[in-house]
Amino acid sequence: MKKFRKVLDGLTTSSPGATVGSPSCGSAAGTPTAAPTPKEIDVQETLVSENFQLCKTVRHGFPYQPTALAFDPVQKILAIGSRSGGVRILGRPGVDCYCQHESGAAVLQLQFLINEGALVSACADDTLHLWNLRQRRPAILHSLKFNRERITFCHLPFQSKWLYVGTERGNTHIVNIESFVLSGYVIMWNKAIELSTKTHPGPVVHLSDSPKDEGKLLIGFESGTIVQWDLRGKKADFRIYYDEAIHSVSWHHEGKQFMCSHSDGSLTLWNLRNTTKPFQVTFPHGKIQKDARKESCKPILKVEYKTCRNSEPFVIFSGGLSYDKAGRRPALTIMHGKAITVLEMDYPIVEFMVLCETPYNNEVQEPYAVVVLLEKDLIVVDLTQSNYPVFENPYPMDIHESPVTCTAYFADCPPDIIPILYSIGAKHKKTGYSQKEWPISGGTWTLGSHTYPEIIITGHADGSIKFWDASAITLQMLYKMKTSKVFEKPKPGEGRAAELVEEDPFAIQMVSWCPQSRMFCVVGISAHIILYRFSKYDANTQIVSLEVRLQCDSDDVISPSENENNPSFSEPSSHSPQPHHQHQHPASPGSRTPEGIKDSIPCLKVKDRAVRVPPGYQSELVIQLLWVDGEPPQQITSLDINSAYGLLAFGNCNGLAVVDYLQKTVILCMSTLDLYGSTDPYQRLTRSPRRNRQSTSEFCMRGLSNFYSDSKKRIRTSYQSLTELTDNQQSIDMERNKSPTSDHVNGHCTSPTSQPCSAGKPRIPMGPEGPRLTRRGPGRPPFRKAQSAACMEISLPVSHTEESRENSFTRSRSSSVSSIDRDTKEAVTTLQFGESYGRKNDVLPTPCLWVGTSLGVVLLIPMSIPTDQEERMEEPVTMGVSGAVLMLKGSVLRFSFLDCMGALIQPPYEVWRDHNAPEDPDRLRRRKLVHFSPSSSQDACGDGHLAVVCSERQAKVFLMPSQSCLFVHNITESSFVLRADVVSVCNSVCLACFCANGHVMTLSLPSLRPLMDVNYLPLTDMRIARTFYFTNGGQALYLSSPTEVQRITYSQEMCDNLQEMLGELFTPIETPEAQNRGFLKGFFGGNAHTFDREELFGEAAAGKASRSLAQHIPGQGGVEGMKVAASGVVGELARARIALDERGQRLGELEERTALMMTSAESFSKHAHELMLKCKDKKWYQF
């Protein structure tokens, strides 16, 4: 525990010659202030660096770009490999593990060591890996890197320790799974085929041992050649040469027949009695045409031939559809007897696997389900019912149903919110699923003791919102809502206006949710905001719509002019708000000028009829920004809502608007510049002459139409198009070193009783909020969208100096900066309602709105809100816009408030009440408000509170109401902060930051001491920047791929308890006994049970493989990994077992070395004896 004391004896004030914006200056308007009254701030900080550790916890969602599939029929766990080298292992709900190959190479194939708690992965870098699954965090035990050949196929027989590996050259190698070394036994391609064959058979595409005799290996080559290799005799039993390329082979369980799938869409059935020609050739989807020819069909990529005890066998395959029918979806075909069922899929099939009752390949298979891995989904089909229903998937595999565009994470929610959301969401669940239990039921998982209610919210490109129960590191969908239901369906228009509706006009940019009041607010890409209330009852409602005219005029864009070397202050009167009369009807279609330019109409049309809304979240108010003179509204960059005040505020690059959603009126709507009043800290030039309006219209149109540009076809979830990045680094540097500019925006202020307007809450899709640099062509005005600097610098270094940024606060527009950085606009980047002190001389806290801008300016706007409930619904809310001004370096990202003891002050809220509940005549329904006053918990410290402000570059802690800066910390010099949040950890609070260079940092409060700085992500991208979210309890999340959510923790306590919270992948299960084959079957069925692979493939018989062929790489998950896993209740027992294992391992190694020495001695004796016999009868002159 460390105690921090700071006496404010005037050291934090500026001297008369001090520059505005210096780190130690917190004065308003950049002028020196008198020393505040000496006051001692006594905060006992409890957090130390030992409280923090960063690690991944769990990954949710569908594996991105899957490539491989495997299933353990005894343990009943499933593994999915991906193109990025990831492996997801799934069992019963709660058992979900993610592993990652360090190389990042794509996973080609996965093979379980059935019921052994191990998994073999073959990767595209020609490396085999052995994973240990007997620990909660699987680790690699061994790796084997092939140097001269490329791996194409692997096969591991049940209960065998020898892995067959086929290569691109057509050779088959054998690997010992225990030691992970190559055997000297190799089946060369030129030995497998006949000597008379003139062509290479191609890569190995199939390997399997005969169910009848394990000593027979069936090798399939891509060209159509099939060889059954006698492992004992080291020769081919038979060879099949077929004209069509082979994709897969599947045995009948008796070992007398096998089926092949081919590239021409045919299936061939072969009988071992006669291998000269196929026993049967079928084209399942190839119909005979009029000219007696077969339809050309697509390749059948995989076939499985499974027998049943009481019915006809199943033949299940993917592909094989005819080419003629264009637009047909990918399909899985199930042939059962004479019945053929085609199951059409929504996405291409990557792999499928039939689940059978027995792990033995020489028994009747009895298939009961088929797992189908699609490009973007996982489906399990029930084979025991004739209509083949699918199982309901218990895993959250549909996060990406529509691309995720924003996220929010709430830990420690009210305990009643999850059950009520689930009960309402359960009414809308799909039906028609199989009634049987989910067949992937392996592993064990128990609800840990360190759990609390957690909710994740995802916003999507189609305007849908999903609420997820994220408690106890699981994820389950609770409730889904569609924001598009409040609008009429967009109709394709003409010209550029059509671009706005072609993509995703309802895409969600940001969300704001108050769990206590259950108020929910969303911001959409079409510059619209929707406010929702929660109700347990359905209702008929008329959607209330407000329209706000908050738009930049071309005159207000500042450009270089002939008098730029003569800076002067602008006249306040030149920036006064321009009144604008709103449309009397919210749903009015707006107007067009004689030239056909859109004006005063919103991007979307709200439904103007009464609609019936089901229980759940019901729309209360829709707010839309309007087109102005043919220019679309700019995207909303910040939003905040407060249920206690009944207010909603939002801003963009043009200005700020505040809406009273109780009275459905706009109480403030003005430009950013007008908010300063007489306290404007910047010197500004007069405006240059008006530019060409048409080019402005062209440029502004891009604000929505390029929201998903060509990147949508690659990764639509990248959200903001990167087509606006500059081509050179110099312009990026200039952007970051920009000096303030005067950008008057066409705003207006209306009385509370005037026509409706719009509002919202601050959160930018990218995380940081600030200006965004755009490409300008000839004649294009320097108009800018309000987006964060992170948008352009996300993967680019920043080389500007801190000094240049610092000087930008004091230099006028005449300073020697390039013209491009003068064409910026000051965007509202973050907003926060709360009880605070709007002016230095305030004695008591009052409701305030804190406004942060992209130029690092913080504005405090005090408000006067009627306290009586009746007066609140009738009297206007007044706002004074001439409040305090504070300054930081970089775009402002986050506000938070602490009392003088260092405790977090929560914003006030209204306790939830159901507005649709039946009225009780005996009980007056009143609003119940909960306030957290800054002065309520600090009698010893006196009045006042601490304000924590974080920007892209630095964090400051101010003492209110004196506005003295107590602590300053420059977070980063070479990068910028993308996301910052004040969170609760270990019964205290800290500031958590995520930077564009991948660093995750925590700072103590209020002293801003660095507690943790971890280089977590080596490279970041737009998706991560937009979706990274910190929450209480030391947790965070981000979208690691377009389909997966990665949760992490930065709490040491959480890391320590993680082992307890994770599920066990391996559970001890007795291996099923093989069926009694009977005397006759055993007698005539060959000598399969006497086959000894060790005798054939061991070093004694086969020798050693060439060292240059493959390199053995020891893994980190051996005994050391087991030591880590051996903790908890049975730690001592596990450690004793590990010690025995180590001793046994050493004894085994000693025994092996002894055996090798004996073998070597015998070999030497044998050679010496042969040499003696050879030389016995020779004369001396014959040597």
Side-chain angles (χ1 to χ4, degrees), residues 2 47 163 182 241 297 327 445 534 716 722 799 834 1067:
K2 194 168 183 180
L47 292 178
L163 175 73
L182 274 177
Y241 299 96
C297 296
W445 179 77
F534 186 83
R716 280 179 56 182
L722 292 178
S799 59
T1067 52

Side-chain angles (χ1 to χ4, degrees), residues 917-963:
E919 294 286 346
D920 186 354
D922 299 329
R923 186 176 178 182
L924 183 64
R925 298 183 63 181
R926 299 187 63 86
R927 299 176 69 214
K928 183 179 179 182
L929 308 183
V930 178
H931 286 268
F932 301 91
S933 174
S935 58
S936 60
S937 61
Q938 54 221 43
D939 297 335
C941 295
D943 295 340
H945 71 89
L946 304 177
V948 181
V949 186
C950 184
S951 73
E952 288 181 334
R953 296 305 175 91
Q954 66 178 185
K956 287 186 177 182
V957 176
F958 296 95
L959 177 65
M960 304 301 290
S962 69
Q963 301 172 17

Side-chain angles (χ1 to χ4, degrees), residues 557-564 685-689 691 776 782 813 817-820 822-823:
V557 177
I558 294 189
S559 304
S561 59
E562 61 276 1
N563 60 349
E564 73 173 47
L685 279 183
T686 55
R687 292 183 297 241
S688 62
R691 295 283 187 103
R776 284 200 297 134
R813 294 230 13 185
V817 252
S818 169
S819 62
I820 193 171
R822 302 174 197 150
D823 298 332

